[in-house]
Amino acid sequence: AQSVTQLDSHVSVSEGTPVLLRCNYSSSYSPSLFWYVQHPNKGLQLLLKYTSAATLVKGINGFEAEFKKSETSFHLTKPSAHMSDAAEYFCVVSVDYQKVTFGTGTKLQVIP
Amino acid sequence: GAGVSQSPRYKVTKRGQDVALRCDPISGHVSLYWYRQALGQGPEFLTYFNYEAQQDKSGLPNDRFSAERPEGSISTLTIQRTEQRDSAMYRCASSFGTGAPFGYTFGSGTRLTVV
């Protein structure tokens, strides 16, 4: 069984300040973990993925995430928020390499 | 094609009608997935295919929902006797390899509204 919990449904940051979107997972085996972003009226876009290689994963648009097995976490961060980062972000876990489980999403608001 | 293409983009149907949603994956992608996303929720797994074989349909809510991918390329998700609770965004994704490490490319979805 696998599950993922996104701890915040909404996050609001000022432009130029750091972003932290939290994700905790649960799985019986070593998971693959992903972050996706969904802009309004757009499809889901892969930001980054962790598949048992380096624990610090760098993605597109300056985002990165760190896999911490001891904390069962995979938080998404960015040093400096940009207005274009405003979107909804989904944390995703997969254990058996086929079925994936999505979190409920975190809406990121960036204040000018 | 260059991306995953879904049609129609929007579908409004009357309760009780059947609808067919189409997904055209990226050429050469082996795996194809269907998800449903209700308003304010994350995508919910429905079913997936490797080539033409349906590998897992455990996410289909009931027997009104079915999917096929007869030639291992285009897939159709069919909902029979639609109900208002079927209203959602239906998303298709494809993957080059048979597995999560390859990541998924998602289409823009079909917004289904049952009135």
Side-chain angles (χ1 to χ4, degrees), chain B residues 50-105:
Chain B
N50 283 343
Y51 300 101
E52 73 282 357
Q54 191 170 19
Q55 299 292 327
D56 185 345
K57 55 181 181 179
S58 64
L60 296 176
N62 50 61
D63 60 8
R64 295 185 298 105
F65 288 73
S66 63
E68 62 175 8
R69 193 186 185 197
E71 297 178 359
S73 179
I74 292 169
S75 176
T76 302
L77 177 70
T78 302
I79 309 173
Q80 296 178 309
R81 305 180 303 281
T82 53
E83 301 177 4
Q84 285 188 320
R85 60 179 170 154
D86 299 334
S87 297
M89 175 72 85
Y90 288 82
R91 296 197 183 275
C92 172
S94 68
S95 173
F96 177 74
T98 54
F102 296 93
Y104 302 85
T105 302

Side-chain angles (χ1 to χ4, degrees), chain B residues 14-40:
Chain B
K14 289 185 177 180
R15 188 177 52 183
Q17 296 293 307
D18 298 351
V19 295
L21 312 181
R22 174 188 164 117
C23 173
D24 193 351
I26 292 175
S27 179
H29 272 199
V30 168
S31 300
L32 184 147
Y33 306 80
W34 282 100
Y35 289 86
R36 175 170 70 172
Q37 185 175 8
L39 199 61

Side-chain angles (χ1 to χ4, degrees), chain A residues 13-32:
Chain A
V13 301
S14 297
E15 189 175 18
T17 64
V19 176
L20 170 64
L21 305 183
R22 298 183 293 167
C23 172
N24 285 95
Y25 69 91
S26 172
S27 70
S28 304
Y29 303 98
S30 297
S32 294

